[in-house]
Amino acid sequence: MSAVPVAPVTVIVPTFNERANVAELIERTATALAAFDAEILFVDDSSDGTADEIARVAASAPLPVRVIHREHNTGGLGGAVVLGLNEATHDVCVVMDGDLQHPPELIPAMLQRFARGDADVVAASRYIGGGDSAGLGTTMRLGVSKAATAITKAMFLRRLWRSTDPMTGFFLVNRARIDVGVLRPQGFKILLEILVRAGERHDLRIAEVPMEFGARQHGSSKASLRQGWTFLVHLARLRFGKMGLFALIGGIGAIANIGIMWALTHAGMDYVPAAVIGAAVTIIGNFVLQELFVFRAERHDASRLWVRFAASASFNSIEAALRIPVMAWMVESWHISSVLATAISLVVAFFARFLFHALVVYAPRRRKTSDAPAEPSVDTATMRVLRAIDTEAMRPGEL
Ligand code: GDD
Ligand code: MN
């Protein structure tokens, strides 16, 4: 490779006690990128002298190596990457772990892929042809990783459509195409944060290259059960803004509904009229709460109060009317309790109800053209529906 084929690149490496790995990492990265215009930027939170070791090796390195050392580790891994993105000299940034589980030899392939010009993010995937996740270690950890990936993809259907490994920590991103200021990563899942949040204005185009996720050479992984919990909270915060509030209110309504039924059937009432009364009380209660908390901002642009109530109540009545015979059928043929049947049918009805309310009941009467989202060129009906669901569910809640 004589001519430099691609834009200059900053390789961002977050480090937390990786002293034994940095010399080899710098050497292998420098060799891999000998034909490219590149710098390495470490964002270090270590207490083991990693930063001093970096400075020592940097002095004789064939490419520029910088280190930002933070005395008080507050931002964690995600925060370190965001700092790196802000401080990088170049717009093309590659984020790579500092423990050599990510082979630096893959960076040229990522740059070549990026140079084709049709991607904003090039992720190194453990799950596409040629990829390998053996370095994850235990079957347990692999299972958790796969399950988390599946759940996450299902939750962000449209944005993660083309990503087989949204959790990978090894990726190239074109900083010019994202809004670094909106990133609020928690814990380890920085790529997920970028794909979901930084692609607000226009969808990020994702490409992938296969990678072999190697075994860690020195030191130990900072992933933990606590990281797992942080991940779940992060997911919930990313996804369940408005939908979470709606679910919370629906959940309170469901409990009230079940409670009312329990009380009435215990007082001797047949379960069918008890279910009708429980549903009616729940419908009115839910409407008041959702007006106050979930769709407060949308009320102003939506149709008038009585129209909203009529639409909401009709939907819920139709849903309840359908639900009760289905429930009765479940009770008769599955021989489960009426309370359990109610609970199951309420969960199934939840998603239909959220979509109907977000897209119909509280739809603006006319759309302001100024804030219409940019449409991609290929716009199938499926993509339109997915986008509508996505937009609604992503709105921040107001509690
Ligand atoms: N600056 C900084 N601050 N760096 C950190 C911190 C921190 O608080 N915590 C971890 N790091 C650095 C580590 O030093 C390492 O270079 C990199 O971040 C990844 O940390 P590991 O502890 O090696 O994580 P892992 O191997 O379990 O997880 C990797 O694989 C996951 C996929 O299973 C990471 O790449 C994850 O991002 C990825 O999701
Ligand atoms: Mn690691």
Side-chain angles (χ1 to χ4, degrees):
M1 255 175 285
S2 47
V4 174
V6 293
V9 57
T10 295
V11 180
I12 299 168
V13 185
T15 45
F16 186 63
N17 297 346
E18 304 288 1
R19 196 183 39 182
N21 291 315
V22 295
E24 182 182 342
L25 182 129
I26 292 171
E27 192 212 303
R28 283 171 55 185
T29 306
T31 305
L33 295 179
F36 298 83
D37 182 359
E39 70 161 348
I40 306 178
L41 172 58
F42 287 91
V43 184
D44 178 58
D45 289 321
S46 309
S47 52
D48 70 342
T50 298
D52 297 337
E53 172 69 358
I54 294 168
R56 189 186 67 78
V57 179
S60 58
L63 79 180
V65 177
R66 288 193 286 147
V67 53
I68 299 172
H69 177 70
R70 305 192 293 182
E71 269 309 321
H72 303 286
N73 175 6
T74 42
L77 173 55
V81 173
V82 171
L83 183 59
L85 288 171
N86 278 316
E87 299 298 322
T89 307
H90 309 298
D91 272 339
V92 176
C93 295
V94 168
V95 178
M96 180 175 80
D97 285 356
D99 58 0
L100 295 168
Q101 283 191 285
H102 296 157
E105 293 72 25
L106 195 59
I107 300 175
M110 297 163 88
L111 291 168
Q112 306 286 8
R113 182 62 193 82
F114 177 71
R116 275 155 60 176
D118 60 353
D120 306 309
V121 171
V122 179
S125 169
R126 295 162 290 177
Y127 302 126
I128 53 170
D132 179 13
S133 47
L136 273 174
T138 63
T139 320
M140 176 71 179
R141 175 98 197 260
L142 181 62
V144 169
S145 173
K146 287 218 154 140
T149 304
I151 294 170
T152 309
K153 281 195 71 166
M155 284 168 80
F156 301 95
L157 218 43
R158 182 172 62 85
R159 289 198 179 140
L160 302 183
W161 195 258
R162 292 196 171 75
S163 169
T164 61
D165 194 359
M167 319 290 198
T168 180
F170 194 13
F171 58 90
L172 175 156
V173 59
N174 180 1
R175 182 177 62 179
R177 290 278 293 175
I178 64 170
D179 185 356
V180 180
V182 304
L183 297 175
R184 301 275 177 275
Q186 289 175 335
F188 278 36
K189 306 308 174 190
I190 178 69
L191 177 60
L192 175 67
E193 175 85 11
I194 289 174
L195 294 177
V196 170
R197 221 197 280 274
E200 289 276 81
R201 308 212 115 258
H202 50 79
D203 283 341
L204 293 175
R205 299 164 302 168
I206 309 171
E208 294 184 324
V209 295
M211 84 147 145
E212 274 177 47
F213 189 61
R216 184 178 246 285
Q217 307 221 336
H218 303 280
S220 57
S221 166
K222 283 85 196 174
S224 59
L225 263 188
R226 174 130 175 269
Q227 282 300 333
W229 171 247
T230 307
F231 168 61
L232 288 181
V233 173
H234 186 192
L235 262 191
R237 216 190 42 170
L238 272 177
R239 175 83 291 177
F240 297 131
K242 201 173 255 329
M243 194 154 74
L245 282 178
F246 193 78
L248 188 67
I249 288 168
I252 292 169
I255 291 165
N257 195 338
I258 293 167
I260 292 166
M261 276 200 68
W262 180 85
L264 293 179
T265 48
H266 270 69
M269 193 183 276
D270 186 53
Y271 70 83
V272 174
V276 173
I277 293 172
V281 172
T282 308
I283 284 170
I284 294 168
N286 278 1
F287 181 76
V288 172
L289 291 175
Q290 98 207 359
E291 284 270 312
L292 288 178
F293 295 116
V294 186
F295 295 108
R296 190 204 301 238
E298 285 75 9
R299 284 192 319 209
H300 308 293
D301 287 335
S303 40
R304 275 159 299 160
L305 177 67
W306 70 268
V307 179
R308 298 198 297 270
F309 181 73
S312 176
S314 322
F315 179 88
N316 291 335
S317 313
I318 291 168
E319 177 214 296
L322 288 178
R323 209 173 66 230
I324 289 164
V326 170
M327 198 191 79
W329 176 83
M330 287 195 280
V331 171
E332 302 304 330
S333 53
W334 295 357
H335 306 291
I336 56 176
S337 77
S338 56
V339 172
L340 179 60
T342 304
I344 294 173
S345 57
L346 285 170
V347 169
V348 172
F350 167 75
F351 288 99
R353 197 182 316 140
F354 177 72
L355 293 180
F356 182 81
H357 282 84
L359 302 177
V360 180
V361 179
Y362 294 94
R365 270 168 305 178
R366 59 184 170 277
R367 188 181 203 111
K368 293 181 220 110
T369 44
S370 58
D371 57 29
E375 301 290 316
S377 48
V378 192
D379 198 21
T380 63
T382 321
M383 285 308 269
R384 264 204 306 278
V385 172
L386 288 178
R387 187 171 321 110
I389 295 172
D390 201 64
T391 311
E392 289 311 323
M394 286 297 290
R395 292 218 173 109
E398 283 150 33
L399 263 185

